[in-house]
Amino acid sequence: MALTSRAARARSTADLALHVHDYRPDANGSRRERLTALAFIAPALLGFAVFYFWPTLRGLYFSFTEYDVFNRPVFVGLGNYRAILEDSTFWNAMLVTVEYVAINIATQTVLALLLAVLLHRLTRSVFVRSVIVLPYLIANVVVALVFYWMLDAQIGITNQVLGWLGTGPVAFFGDQNWAIPTIALVNTWRHLGYTALLLFAGMVMIPNDVYEAGRVDGASEWKMFWRITLPLLRPVLALVLVITVVGSFQAFDTVAVTTSGGPGDASRVIQYYIFDLAFQRLQFGYASAVSVVLFVILALVALVQLRLMRADQSDVA
Amino acid sequence: MATTAAPSDIDLVLKAPAPAERRKAGPGRVLAWTALVLIMLVTLFPFFWMLRTAFSNGASLATQPASLLPVDPTLGAFERVLGLASTEEAQAQGGSGAAIDFVRYLGNSVVVATFITAGQVFFGAMAAYAFSRLRWPGREAVFFLFLTALMVPPIFTQLPNFLLVRDLGLLNTYAGIILPYFFMTPFAIFFLRQFFLGIPHEVEEAARLDGAGPVRRFFGVILPMASGPLATLAILQYVQAWSEYFWPLLVGSDDRVRVLTVGLGIFRSQTPQGTPDWAGLMAATLLAALPVVLLFAVFSRRIVNSIGFSGLK
């Protein structure tokens, strides 16, 4: 999910240490060099052509067909796309996904900002940062199952605690209204530390003099956050948001091992719906069309975000 | 979605000025530390609960659901998921007694993650070398094309890739699970290219004057110099391959090639006595998380410092 060229540009302003010794791109090199290069990129080129490029074209083609995986695909023109417009399950999936993304991103970003500021202002301890990033290294499936247990309606620890507080029990995964917030918060738990470390890395690049100057002027930590950290962090924050939002739209694992899209369609996020269509209902053509729509939405979301936050213009320089 | 940085960022982090104002231990600082410790506790608690439950007797869990220590401590859950317990023993402790062969899944995960990592790092390094230090026509255009692959959401290519793997007769084989990730991941190429670009020209020039061709320079000069970033990349890709769920679920659900994540999903859907076998499930998740946690314990400094902003994925 890449934005790499943007990242490279955002980086170039902050990049202090990298001395680039590049050959001129217009130089074509010796014959030997060209042949070596060809041999060296051959495996990657093969992987790219077979598993990225070709399936992208094929996926586009399938989206214009009716295809049950066993018989030949039948061309139906824009039929699938027209069907999407009237597919209430699709629109529900979009709604559920947007709700998921909103809760996940809002909590994750605010908490990660807080955590990054705490790290930035308090400590450089590798231990602290290790603990904080640990959940990110654990597989989604594992995280989902641990929370599935901790949030169990009958004997999960969370409901025991709620019981002591005089409320509950809440069927976190089994209740229509709770399923999506629960799944979103589980993912916030997993991604919080990692997101914070990305923001932290951005904060470290802000020159310390700026804070010194702020302190001389008698600014409080609170004021320095709003006047210094946040504005100077904006390009980094924009990139983090684009990456996390795009990633969040593709939630699947947690849903698959906890609710399977239920109860009803309450947690049938778009990625799970596509999986469902393709592999349970064998509507491969239609599933491809929905994934094209997802692709377009993700591209638009990324573009709009980058525009809004002017991610490629840094204030640091 | 691992995000990592070229070595320059590591330097940046390490050379970063120490947080100022250690002398002032005002109420604000105490509050800030409290918040940080609280977040760390919330982060660690699920791991503790995983441990506590895994060492409990599944059949007794409901009697003391809030006990901080294992309930009726036993290794039964581990014996169960490792296939060491008899059906009767398993059922007595809340298990299903159905065969769930986690040793095999663990082995499958090791095979899959190892091959994927080896392929990605090796082929990625070769491609990165060609993109950064060899001159050939069309270099920038091909690199840009590779980068666009990062934009495509995985689900979009995974549906057709499933058909491809099926048509090649590779469903439920290691090859089917590994191949799509084996030859290239744009991230690996981008990550290593950044590093290779930063190696001074003179280093390679000396080898060239000694008559070393590009292949020998790659293996003899560049690769040894890049051992740090190569290791970082390998760790990150290993962790990611280990965690992957969607793709192995599609093409490798068969028991023989089933990886841990897929096995866990199936284990969870078995509800032997009305509820899942919680103790067994937590023992299994613990086993699945353990290799990564160990890897992390050894390489935490490297991993933590590599999370920065040059290579976004």
Side-chain angles (χ1 to χ4, degrees):
Chain A
M1 271 117 285
L3 316 156
T4 12
S5 62
R6 299 262 183 179
R9 246 180 290 156
R11 172 192 169 77
S12 62
T13 50
D15 190 348
L16 309 170
L18 197 72
H19 298 288
V20 177
H21 288 264
D22 195 7
Y23 296 103
R24 301 284 357 118
D26 50 24
N28 285 342
S30 65
R31 189 184 146 75
R32 184 178 185 190
E33 214 169 318
R34 290 204 300 273
L35 286 177
T36 313
L38 186 65
F40 270 36
I41 62 160
L45 208 55
L46 176 78
F48 176 77
V50 176
F51 296 109
Y52 287 89
F53 190 67
W54 171 237
T56 302
L57 294 183
R58 250 182 127 189
L60 270 175
Y61 167 69
F62 286 142
S63 78
F64 297 110
T65 67
E66 215 159 80
Y67 185 29
D68 67 359
V69 194
F70 299 109
N71 299 299
R72 290 182 148 280
V74 180
F75 191 76
V76 294
L78 289 173
N80 288 328
Y81 292 95
R82 246 177 253 129
I84 288 177
L85 291 177
E86 287 159 23
D87 179 355
S88 60
T89 317
F90 168 80
W91 291 107
N92 176 67
M94 281 311 300
L95 197 72
V96 166
T97 307
V98 169
E99 189 195 339
Y100 167 86
V101 172
I103 298 173
N104 177 221
I105 296 304
T107 54
Q108 185 172 301
T109 310
V110 170
L111 287 172
L113 261 174
L114 170 74
L115 182 52
V117 171
L118 291 174
L119 289 175
H120 185 224
R121 309 306 287 164
L122 290 179
T123 176
R124 289 288 179 275
S125 156
V126 170
F127 172 75
V128 171
R129 281 187 281 152
S130 302
V131 166
I132 276 160
V133 82
L134 187 58
Y136 182 74
L137 301 173
I138 306 298
N140 264 323
V141 172
V142 169
V143 170
L145 289 175
V146 174
F147 277 92
Y148 191 61
W149 159 227
M150 287 178 34
L151 298 173
D152 181 62
Q154 274 109 44
I155 57 171
I157 180 67
T158 315
N159 272 313
Q160 303 302 314
V161 175
L162 287 181
W164 298 335
L165 299 175
T167 57
V170 178
F172 288 97
F173 288 104
D175 186 302
Q176 295 244 32
N177 300 316
W178 277 101
I180 278 295
T182 302
I183 294 168
L185 291 176
V186 168
N187 282 297
T188 296
W189 179 83
R190 179 167 182 261
H191 291 268
L192 173 60
Y194 173 70
T195 313
L197 281 199
L198 290 178
L199 296 175
F200 169 78
M203 288 178 189
V204 168
M205 291 183 201
I206 299 173
N208 208 33
D209 321 2
V210 190
Y211 290 99
E212 290 298 337
R215 210 167 287 118
V216 168
D217 292 346
S220 63
E221 286 284 340
W222 177 252
K223 217 169 196 166
M224 286 202 279
F225 171 76
W226 290 103
R227 296 281 169 80
I228 300 174
T229 309
L230 209 53
L232 293 185
L233 194 65
R234 202 202 57 225
V236 168
L237 188 62
L239 285 169
V240 168
L241 272 173
V242 171
I243 298 161
T244 51
V245 168
V246 167
S248 190
F249 261 98
Q250 300 177 62
F252 174 84
D253 301 358
T254 316
V255 172
V257 295
T258 57
T259 63
S260 305
D265 287 332
S267 62
R268 196 171 303 276
V269 291
I270 194 80
Q271 181 112 340
Y272 195 82
Y273 184 48
I274 294 172
F275 167 77
D276 212 18
L277 285 171
F279 296 97
Q280 256 120 46
R281 306 184 203 180
L282 299 182
Q283 300 176 8
F284 221 84
Y286 190 58
S288 298
V290 175
S291 63
V292 171
V293 172
L294 174 66
F295 187 1
V296 172
I297 290 174
L298 289 182
L300 286 178
V301 165
L303 255 172
V304 168
Q305 276 185 301
L306 286 172
R307 267 290 140 73
L308 283 181
M309 304 201 55
R310 293 169 292 142
D312 48 352
Q313 297 160 27
S314 171
D315 294 335
V316 183
Chain B
M1 222 183 275
T3 299
T4 40
S8 59
D9 284 336
I10 296 175
D11 297 342
L12 267 177
V13 171
L14 293 180
K15 286 179 205 148
E21 305 281 310
R22 262 186 207 288
R23 46 213 141 85
K24 263 197 277 173
R29 262 192 105 71
V30 174
L31 197 70
W33 270 108
T34 312
L36 186 58
V37 170
L38 203 68
I39 292 174
M40 286 171 74
L41 285 179
V42 170
T43 302
L44 288 175
F45 184 78
F47 293 97
F48 167 70
W49 207 245
M50 198 198 268
L51 269 171
R52 170 265 187 199
T53 309
F55 286 101
S56 295
N57 182 336
S60 326
L61 269 178
T63 60
Q64 287 171 285
S67 158
L68 283 179
L69 293 173
V71 183
D72 188 4
T74 167
L75 290 175
F78 291 98
E79 289 167 4
R80 203 146 70 237
V81 295
L82 293 175
L84 303 172
S86 69
T87 309
E88 295 76 40
E89 285 170 340
Q91 281 169 347
Q93 292 199 8
S96 72
I100 274 273
D101 193 349
F102 268 91
V103 180
R104 172 182 281 179
Y105 304 161
L106 199 70
N108 289 339
S109 276
V110 169
V111 169
V112 167
T114 304
F115 271 94
I116 288 177
T117 306
Q120 288 183 343
V121 172
F122 185 65
F123 295 133
M126 282 169 58
Y129 181 70
F131 281 124
S132 60
R133 307 190 71 92
L134 294 175
R135 290 161 295 175
W136 45 285
R139 190 176 83 165
E140 309 308 313
V142 176
F143 183 64
F144 180 75
L145 195 67
F146 274 26
L147 286 187
T148 60
L150 279 166
M151 302 273 202
V152 183
I155 180 102
F156 189 72
T157 46
Q158 275 162 341
L159 298 186
N161 276 343
F162 168 80
L163 294 176
L164 180 66
V165 165
R166 182 197 67 174
D167 296 342
L168 291 172
L170 294 176
L171 279 187
N172 293 314
T173 63
Y174 287 136
I177 305 175
I178 293 165
L179 273 181
Y181 296 100
F182 188 61
F183 294 107
M184 106 125 187
T185 161
F187 171 69
I189 297 174
F190 183 74
F191 178 90
L192 291 175
R193 176 177 172 272
Q194 286 297 101
F195 179 79
F196 289 168
L197 281 174
I199 297 177
H201 192 176
E202 295 75 24
V203 174
E204 226 181 327
E205 195 56 29
R208 204 176 69 86
L209 291 176
D210 286 345
V215 178
R216 261 184 59 200
R217 295 202 300 270
F218 173 67
F219 284 103
V221 179
I222 300 294
L223 277 193
M225 283 190 75
S227 59
L230 287 170
T232 305
L233 180 69
I235 295 165
L236 292 169
Q237 298 309 95
Y238 199 89
V239 168
Q240 207 184 351
W242 188 267
S243 305
E244 180 69 31
Y245 178 63
F246 190 71
W247 178 250
L249 177 71
L250 296 189
V251 299
S253 55
D254 189 276
D255 194 62
R256 288 172 302 112
V257 295
R258 194 180 291 160
V259 295
L260 269 172
T261 48
V262 178
L264 282 172
I266 291 170
F267 191 14
R268 127 86 180 102
S269 60
Q270 298 172 339
T271 50
Q273 289 155 25
T275 57
D277 169 14
W278 294 119
L281 199 56
M282 287 306 105
T285 54
L286 192 66
L287 292 176
L290 205 58
V292 175
V293 173
L294 289 179
L295 199 69
F296 187 55
V298 178
F299 296 107
S300 60
R301 179 173 292 269
R302 182 177 284 284
I303 295 175
V304 164
N305 283 336
S306 75
I307 296 172
F309 249 90
S310 348
L312 297 173
K313 189 178 178 193

